Amino acid sequence: MSSPSLQSANALKKVPAISPQSIPSLESPAAAGAHISETEDDANNLQPSGLLNHQALEGRFSLGNILNADQEPVQRQRSRDESPEDPIELGLITPSLAKSLFDSFMTVLNPYISQLDPHLHTFPYVRAKSAFLLSSILAMAAKAFNYVLYIKLYDHAQDLFSSVFRRGSKSVEIVQAILILTYWKEPQDTRVWTSVGYAIRICMDLGWHKRAYCRSAAAAKESEAQRQERRSIERTCISLQTGRPWMIECSEFIESIENWCNDALTIENDQLLGAFTTLRLITSSAFPLLATKSRQRSLSHSESAPLVSLLDGRIERWEKKWTEKITAQTEKSCHEFLIRFYGTHLRLQLHTLPLHGILVSDKSDIDHHIDTVWVAYSSALNMLQLISRFSEHVCFAQDSIHVMTAYSAAFLVKVVYFFCLAGKH
């Protein structure tokens, strides 16, 4: 009879080691189709998108691809002459250092962007899934924690980005890697909006714009791994809804964000995505209208005041609701800082819209609108106070935080300068 220790040793020998080859990579063009599921609407669709083979729609224009619905895509295999992409295999970093940087990213940086699920995105999992995602994570972690390694890891991640673009590869990991590279970009890098646009188009190619919130009954049929991977796709899709104008249309899935945040598989970081998405929803219709009218100077202060007041109240209630929700989970986190900071920043932007019209108008007396000036001034000042109050979170924050901080400081200088000039007259 063998000893327990020997049995354990034998059991360990039977467990296959996880390597980058043990989990199929989704970074090939062929694998992208695995994410596209045909809905009932697709089946009854008489447009080209409903009648033609998915391979043809992905750009593989050949008579065989267009007419043969059963043709299996040819998997792209790496040739022997093709260099490896894994940064550890390439000798750019040791396995132990890579694991340390990866853990630092997941613990410190990931909460700022809420991109990855710590339960799903373990070091072996990410390494097996995507060299591009792993390299992006390690590069950004090195930038924050071990700058000596940063340049070579960053250059490698950018090389993989170029390779992904050249091959036309599509996967959730590729989208996540692109977004991670944009959050902590180099100052001279002006590709953020175009890179995010490319990521969005990958999402639409993968059919994410047709996603619906998966109810508990449907989720019960999935395995734990399938549910986590579905949530990973949803999390990435939601994160693309929190920036500039809508690129993926606002759907029922996005509107059900609060249900998504209350799902059994919700992780702590999902609350931040929920907060930002609901902020987008409550301001997305009225704010652009107000901004357009302000630029055209076709809306007087008396006409804009009710709308500004309405939006201001919504932002205030949003901030109160989500900070309470966040602080109930953790006492002092970067999430509380980000929610308060973004809410205050949006309030500043909101009140500067009518203020712009007041300042440029010859007919307006600034003394009659001192309340508008005061709210905008207070918002800018509050942003700087938040930076001081949550100073331990600022150094790791994504670049947009620093841009917003600079904006608040510049606004204060501008307003003070304007009043100094007005006082002289």
Side-chain angles (χ1 to χ4, degrees), residues 53 55 62-74:
N53 188 293
Q55 292 188 63
S62 71
L63 193 59
N65 283 341
I66 292 172
L67 298 180
N68 189 352
D70 299 323
Q71 182 176 334
E72 289 294 325
V74 178

Side-chain angles (χ1 to χ4, degrees), residues 311-343:
L311 288 175
D312 187 77
R314 286 182 176 181
I315 295 169
E316 188 174 345
R317 288 190 295 274
W318 167 86
E319 185 177 320
K320 184 176 185 296
K321 172 184 176 179
W322 287 96
T323 49
E324 287 177 354
K325 203 168 185 178
I326 292 294
T327 51
Q329 295 179 342
T330 53
E331 289 186 4
K332 193 176 183 182
S333 70
C334 68
H335 291 172
E336 182 188 355
F337 161 64
L338 291 171
I339 288 171
R340 292 187 184 280
F341 193 80
Y342 273 83

Side-chain angles (χ1 to χ4, degrees), residues 184-199:
W184 294 280
K185 68 178 186 65
E186 286 296 290
Q188 68 274 14
D189 188 349
T190 59
R191 301 169 300 160
V192 171
W193 187 227
T194 51
S195 295
V196 172
Y198 179 60

Side-chain angles (χ1 to χ4, degrees), residues 5 7 37-38 48 83 127-128 130 194 207 214 293 335 345 359 368 379 391 401 407:
S5 60
Q7 288 177 345
S37 58
E38 187 175 64
S83 61
R127 188 181 180 192
S130 171
T194 51
C214 187
K293 294 290 186 181
H335 291 172
H345 174 260
L359 295 179
H368 295 163
S379 297
S391 57
I401 297 295
Y407 166 64

Side-chain angles (χ1 to χ4, degrees), residues 212-232:
Y213 176 61
C214 187
R215 306 291 174 182
S216 300
K221 300 176 183 178
E222 299 174 326
S223 67
E224 183 72 14
Q226 287 174 326
R227 287 198 295 271
Q228 287 181 330
E229 291 190 340
R230 170 177 53 77
R231 290 279 297 188
S232 179

Side-chain angles (χ1 to χ4, degrees), residues 28-37 54 58 170 206:
S28 67
H35 288 295
I36 302 176
S37 58
H54 280 307
E58 289 169 6
K170 304 178 185 76
L206 298 179

